[in-house]
Amino acid sequence: MSAYGSAYDGGVLRGDAPQPTVTELYHAHRLRMVRLAVLLVDDLATAEDVVQDAFTALYRRHGEQISEVDNALGYLRTAVVNTSRSVLRRRRTARAWTPPEAPDLPSAEEHVVLDEAHREVLAALGRLTPRRRQVLVLRYWADLSEAEIATTLGISRGAVKSNASRALDALERILEGRI
């Protein structure tokens, strides 16, 4: 005899007996549905979620009394299978996704060396004449063209070229320790 008396046997109604409630179905068939879902998704926690979602969907759609569903157990079984298939699709998609490769970050030592190099360059820039420093900063830091630098400083393009050339030579000598 099943949990519902002799009128209900595994989802098949005999005679005019009333349909079981969602709660009755849950208590009688939850473990069987979880076993089915475990075989499909290969994970107990996910299988339990799948079954819980199937029962919740049945309850939301039809309420506690599921008189509108001819075969409530078959309905649940189909819901468990379909939800399991959705879980597997999401898993496959998640496993196929590869995160973008992270750029190589400099080590702490490289960071210190770069900081020291930057400090040396800044110190060397400070030793240049104001005009030569302005030309180099506008050219290499502000990324301006020779014409834009000439307009900004109010000098000719030729003066920009000669100041840039002399400034780079002076920086090289300063950084090499010759000055």
Side-chain angles (χ1 to χ4, degrees):
M1 183 185 247
S2 74
Y4 312 111
S6 61
Y8 182 75
D9 184 27
V12 178
L13 287 176
R14 293 193 215 144
D16 293 330
Q19 277 277 37
T21 64
V22 172
T23 302
E24 291 169 338
L25 274 175
Y26 181 82
H27 290 293
H29 297 285
R30 182 187 70 82
L31 290 177
R32 185 178 307 150
M33 292 295 163
V34 169
R35 281 188 221 115
L36 171 65
V38 164
L39 292 172
L40 296 172
V41 299
D42 197 30
D43 172 23
L44 179 61
T46 303
E48 289 173 340
D49 289 344
V50 164
V51 171
Q52 192 65 38
D53 289 347
F55 276 102
T56 302
L58 179 66
Y59 182 82
R60 281 189 185 143
R61 186 163 188 170
H62 299 287
E64 178 67 17
Q65 301 298 325
I66 46 178
S67 58
E68 300 165 11
V69 179
D70 290 334
N71 183 354
L73 189 57
Y75 179 94
L76 277 171
R77 192 176 302 113
T78 300
V80 166
V81 169
N82 288 339
T83 305
S84 296
R85 291 172 66 203
S86 294
V87 165
L88 293 174
R89 275 193 301 273
R90 284 192 299 274
R91 258 191 213 164
R92 193 175 326 117
T93 301
R95 287 178 181 156
W97 182 79
T98 55
E101 196 169 308
D104 290 333
L105 299 175
S107 68
E109 293 83 14
E110 288 177 289
H111 188 68
V112 169
V113 169
L114 283 175
D115 282 349
E116 181 61 29
H118 287 146
R119 281 192 293 275
E120 289 175 7
V121 170
L122 290 174
L125 274 173
R127 293 180 58 188
L128 297 176
T129 65
R131 176 71 68 196
R132 289 178 181 173
R133 184 172 50 249
Q134 292 166 358
V135 168
L136 287 185
V137 168
L138 291 173
R139 177 69 185 109
Y140 296 103
W141 186 75
D143 202 28
L144 298 181
S145 68
E146 290 173 354
E148 292 170 319
I149 295 169
T151 303
T152 302
L153 297 178
I155 58 176
S156 70
R157 285 183 65 186
V160 170
K161 287 181 186 183
S162 66
N163 275 298
S165 176
R166 290 181 185 139
L168 289 173
D169 288 342
L171 268 182
E172 183 179 5
R173 286 192 309 272
I174 293 168
L175 291 172
E176 289 178 351
R178 291 186 282 174
I179 295 182

